[in-house]
């Protein structure tokens, strides 16, 4: 009779070990998924930073352009065209500023998401560590 209990106990422990191993595999799969998401978001954040840098450079060029700051009017037709160009350019710059603000906000949101995913990664690591400790204690 005692041998049956020992066999039952060993079988119960082995079932428990297998259940823990399965949980560890599931958490490791989740970890891989989160790591991939972080990598993808980091790449996108780099792209956004590049776009923002390009925009800053272009705005500096446009704002420093002598042609756009000096409008020379020789006749009425040129004056109308020059004023139209200046109005269009001003509207374009305002739209670029709006877009820049939105991209900058998106960039911040991507950064916040990366931070949250890193926190979740820490949680996953702690969970895997706890499961591995439990497995070692059985």
């Amino acid at each position: 009779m005692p041998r049956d209990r020992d066999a039952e106990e060993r079988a119960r422990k082995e079932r428990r070990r297998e259940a823990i191993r399965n949980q560890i595999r599931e958490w490791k799969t989740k970890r891989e998924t989160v790591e991939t998401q972080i990598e993808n978001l980091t790449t996108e954040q780099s792209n956004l930073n590049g776009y923002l840098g390009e925009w800053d450079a272009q705005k500096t060029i446009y704002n420093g352009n002598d042609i756009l700051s000096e409008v020379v009017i020789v006749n009425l037709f040129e004056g109308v065209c020059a004023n139209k160009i200046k109005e269009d350019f001003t509207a374009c710059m305002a739209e670029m500023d709006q877009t820049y603000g939105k991209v900058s906000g998106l960039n911040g949101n991507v950064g916040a998401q990366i931070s949250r995913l890193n926190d979740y990664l820490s949680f996953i690591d702690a969970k895997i560590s706890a499961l591995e400790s439990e497995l070692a204690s059985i």
Side-chain angles (χ1 to χ4, degrees):
M1 208 54 137
R3 290 180 192 225
D4 288 314
R5 286 186 195 165
D6 288 344
E8 287 175 18
E9 182 64 21
R10 281 193 306 276
R12 185 189 64 75
K13 284 183 179 181
E14 189 52 40
R15 284 192 304 273
R16 181 67 188 136
R17 281 189 203 102
E18 190 57 34
I20 292 172
R21 285 187 201 107
N22 286 336
Q23 287 179 329
I24 290 171
R25 277 192 291 278
E26 289 173 13
W27 282 106
K28 285 185 176 182
T29 300
K30 287 180 185 181
R31 185 180 206 295
E32 290 172 8
T33 301
V34 171
E35 286 174 333
T36 300
Q37 290 172 341
I38 289 171
E39 287 174 24
N40 291 338
L41 286 172
T42 300
T43 299
E44 288 307 313
Q45 189 173 39
S46 293
N47 290 339
L48 290 173
N49 285 328
Y51 296 143
L52 291 171
E54 288 174 22
W55 185 91
D56 278 335
Q58 288 301 314
K59 185 171 181 182
T60 300
I61 291 168
Y62 293 149
N63 284 336
N65 191 330
D66 292 337
I67 294 171
L68 296 171
S69 62
E70 293 180 25
V71 176
V72 177
I73 301 171
V74 175
N75 62 36
L76 181 61
F77 178 73
E78 286 177 351
V80 170
C81 288
N83 286 334
K84 179 68 174 147
I85 289 170
K86 192 171 186 176
E87 288 171 13
D88 288 349
F89 180 74
T90 302
C92 182
M93 291 302 290
E95 189 173 331
M96 285 176 71
D97 283 338
Q98 271 186 329
T99 303
Y100 181 87
K102 290 177 182 177
V103 171
S104 184
L106 176 61
N107 192 26
N109 290 339
V110 169
Q113 185 63 29
I114 290 170
S115 178
R116 286 190 292 272
L117 286 170
N118 279 321
D119 290 345
Y120 187 53
L121 205 55
S122 295
F123 170 78
I124 290 172
D125 286 340
K127 189 70 174 170
I128 290 170
S129 180
L131 287 168
E132 287 172 341
S133 293
E134 185 179 347
L135 182 61
S137 70
I138 296 176

